[in-house]
Amino acid sequence: MSAEEMDNMFETLYNNIGSPQAPGLNAYEKSVFLTKAQDEILKNYFNPKSKGNNTQDGFDDNAKRQVDFSMLTSVETKSSSFGTPLFDTRDNTKSVTLPKELMFAINEMVEVTRTNESKPVILQVIPIKFDEYSRLMCKPYKRPLKYQAWRLTNNQLSNKADIIIGPSDILNKYTIRYIRRPKPIIVSNLDGLTIEGEGTKKLDCELDPILHEEILQRAVELAKIAWTNTGQDNLQAVMQAGQRSE
């Protein structure tokens, strides 16, 4: 469904559920509601425990979920741009810059050269939190298991992360498979206004068409809530509207 088709269908659905008193919406407002709906649906559908995920199926739990995220699945490999670690400054720990458009990490691995191994070794990367890192540092062996590496992220420094490997390992390559953040949905030129830095031209929804009607439904719900509720009533209505069937 193109941006123009989404614009027309949004108007139709909005007028059908609205009333003569409902305010008209301009291109910027419709684009804001569509983009917000897109982000909410992605976050709800990735997390099986979300209240907006009625089927309780997260990423990769069924065939539909695989299609839902198929257009946004990306892979990035780094093999020479390793920097000085930001937090764990021990030997062989390196810093990597995570993809700028990263929304959700799916899986990660590193290739290392290891003493007494004739071929490169592949390690699975395990993301850990700072409190978990502190707990692990209290143990006698303060490194990952033999076929694991740790990723310690500091999002306040240009989305960089420390990759922690074994004391005899040398990092050769880091690969991440992830869901990237989609561009906003822009129904027409926004005449000087922007959404996430975009607004000079129309932008179609990047998600698979199977999700387009769900995004429209959610966007219209958000628009209706915006003019029919205020304060606590608005918050409650937003939460209830998000708890819908697919």
Side-chain angles (χ1 to χ4, degrees):
M1 190 182 301
S2 68
E4 185 177 2
E5 290 171 326
M6 277 196 160
D7 188 7
N8 293 334
M9 189 168 289
F10 186 105
E11 285 285 354
T12 300
L13 295 174
Y14 180 70
N15 291 334
N16 285 344
I17 70 168
S19 70
Q21 290 77 36
L25 299 176
N26 59 33
Y28 176 76
E29 292 166 329
K30 285 182 282 188
S31 298
V32 166
F33 287 127
L34 287 165
T35 300
K36 181 173 175 57
Q38 173 178 255
D39 286 348
E40 284 190 11
I41 285 175
L42 283 178
K43 291 172 183 177
N44 284 339
Y45 287 4
F46 192 86
N47 180 7
K49 297 181 180 180
S50 170
K51 291 183 178 181
N53 187 340
N54 282 356
T55 65
Q56 302 296 288
D57 292 320
F59 175 80
D60 215 24
D61 281 346
N62 62 30
K64 181 181 182 297
R65 282 291 179 266
Q66 293 174 358
V67 174
D68 289 344
F69 290 92
S70 61
M71 306 298 286
L72 301 177
T73 302
S74 300
V75 177
E76 184 171 308
T77 298
K78 297 180 181 294
S79 57
S80 60
S81 54
F82 306 127
T84 303
L86 305 168
F87 188 80
D88 186 309
T89 57
R90 293 175 295 171
D91 292 343
N92 297 345
T93 297
K94 297 295 182 182
S95 173
V96 298
T97 301
L98 300 176
K100 182 173 63 175
E101 68 276 20
L102 170 66
M103 190 171 190
F104 306 112
I106 302 172
N107 52 45
E108 304 160 73
M109 62 183 66
V110 294
E111 177 188 291
V112 300
T113 300
R114 177 169 288 171
T115 305
N116 300 325
E117 295 279 356
S118 59
K119 296 181 179 179
V121 179
I122 303 299
L123 311 179
Q124 296 299 315
V125 178
I126 308 300
I128 62 173
K129 299 178 181 179
F130 279 91
D131 58 349
E132 177 70 0
Y133 173 84
S134 298
R135 185 185 68 81
L136 292 167
M137 289 300 101
C138 295
K139 293 190 173 185
Y141 186 69
K142 308 177 191 300
R143 292 282 187 172
L145 299 176
K146 185 175 182 180
Y147 292 104
Q148 288 185 359
W150 294 337
R151 175 184 29 99
L152 190 63
T153 303
N154 190 333
N155 286 325
Q156 304 205 352
L157 290 172
S158 303
N159 214 25
K160 290 185 178 293
D162 286 359
I163 301 298
I164 304 166
I165 53 181
S168 63
D169 295 340
I170 297 175
L171 182 61
N172 298 329
K173 187 184 297 182
Y174 167 77
T175 301
I176 178 171
R177 179 178 287 105
Y178 64 99
I179 302 299
R180 64 178 176 81
R181 183 175 298 280
K183 290 184 179 295
I185 301 171
I186 308 292
V187 298
S188 69
N189 189 312
L190 301 183
D191 296 325
L193 298 174
T194 61
I195 300 174
E196 299 176 10
E198 303 282 356
T200 59
K201 60 182 180 180
K202 289 189 295 185
L203 288 177
D204 294 338
C205 179
E206 293 187 283
L207 276 63
D208 190 273
I210 196 172
L211 282 174
H212 289 186
E213 289 192 11
E214 295 174 45
I215 292 170
L216 275 164
Q217 175 191 349
R218 179 59 174 157
V220 172
E221 289 171 353
L222 291 171
K224 180 184 177 182
I225 291 165
W227 63 265
T228 57
N229 299 277
T230 57
Q232 187 63 32
D233 291 338
N234 183 281
L235 176 60
Q236 184 175 359
V238 169
M239 294 178 64
Q240 290 176 345
Q243 299 173 23
R244 66 202 185 291
S245 60
E246 296 182 41

